[in-house]
Amino acid sequence: GIILLEIAESPLHDLIIDIKPQFPNIKFVHVIADVRNRTMIEPIFKEYKPDVVFHAAAYKHVPLMEDSPNEAIKNNVFGTYKMAQAAAKYGVKRFVLISTDKAVNPTNSMGASKRLCEMIIQTFDQKIKEGKAHELPQIFAHAEDEEGIGTIDEKLEVKTEYVAVRFGNVLGSNGSVIPLFKKQIAAGGPVTVTHPDIIRYFMTIPEAVSLVMQAGTYADGGEIFVFFDEPLI
């Protein structure tokens, strides 16, 4: 079965309607939850015990996150940490973080937050391989957060492997610049770019899916996978 976890009800509803008829023999569980809230996340891990987690929850729009960098950290960094910790506690075999090319020498808040996410999963992987998962501390996104429930028991044998996948712009995906370009062209232009010298790296949805699946299959833990191709713009 597949667990679909989302904080936004409309995208989750649309996803369910889209994929359920295509895969009638697969059991889908759909859950509304906030990755920053450990008291919501841990019971889900405890009940369903997923084998693989594909962690894609993040704020990703660069200009918006420049205006709200604290929210970029709370959602992207704290959310990743709490999901990674829950994965270790409840026997997940592999944790795949969806990262971004903007995490490379980051020049903006969003990219910096995703680089921190990569460092988190590499730290988790290293600590687990050293047998020191219990040394990973709790972190708190809110003053009223869930003190005392996130710690990994020293006696627990943790074997979770963590890996990251860096994406560029995925053609046609939610939030991609391509739909914006198409609207601008349909309206007669102009087509706007952030800067005349900007370089954008594109990949197709099948390429992105293939990269994620390969990372989830072949990784030994601690790697950062990158799709290598030439920039189109």
Side-chain angles (χ1 to χ4, degrees), residues 21-72:
Q22 299 182 53
F23 305 98
N25 297 323
I26 296 178
K27 180 182 178 181
F28 290 96
V29 176
H30 32 89
V31 183
I32 297 290
D34 184 348
V35 296
R36 297 174 300 177
N37 190 332
R38 192 180 284 114
T39 58
M40 297 177 70
I41 293 300
E42 290 214 3
I44 297 169
F45 276 81
K46 185 176 181 179
E47 179 176 357
Y48 296 109
K49 295 181 172 58
D51 292 317
V52 181
V53 170
F54 296 99
H55 179 59
Y59 290 139
K60 65 177 183 176
H61 289 283
V62 171
L64 288 176
M65 293 303 99
E66 286 301 286
D67 294 334
S68 303
N70 56 325
E71 293 302 316

Side-chain angles (χ1 to χ4, degrees), residues 25 70 73 82 111 117 139 230:
N25 297 323
N70 56 325
I73 297 299
K82 293 185 179 187
C117 294
I139 62 172
E230 293 297 322

Side-chain angles (χ1 to χ4, degrees), residues 12 21 27 32 36 59 69 91 102 109 131 146 155 161 166 173 190 193 200:
L12 179 58
K27 180 182 178 181
I32 297 290
R36 297 174 300 177
Y59 290 139
K102 297 173 182 65
S109 297
E146 328 81 11
K155 298 177 182 178
E161 295 176 338
R166 282 180 180 163
S173 67
V193 294
R200 288 187 180 272

Side-chain angles (χ1 to χ4, degrees), residues 106-138:
T107 58
N108 53 67
S109 297
M110 192 282 282
S113 73
K114 295 299 284 186
R115 178 63 189 128
L116 285 169
C117 294
E118 293 177 352
M119 295 167 72
I120 285 169
I121 66 106
Q122 289 182 313
T123 299
F124 267 77
D125 198 83
Q126 180 180 345
K127 282 289 187 181
I128 287 169
K129 283 183 168 61
E130 294 173 353
K132 299 178 180 178
H134 62 279
E135 293 183 358
L136 294 161
Q138 295 183 69

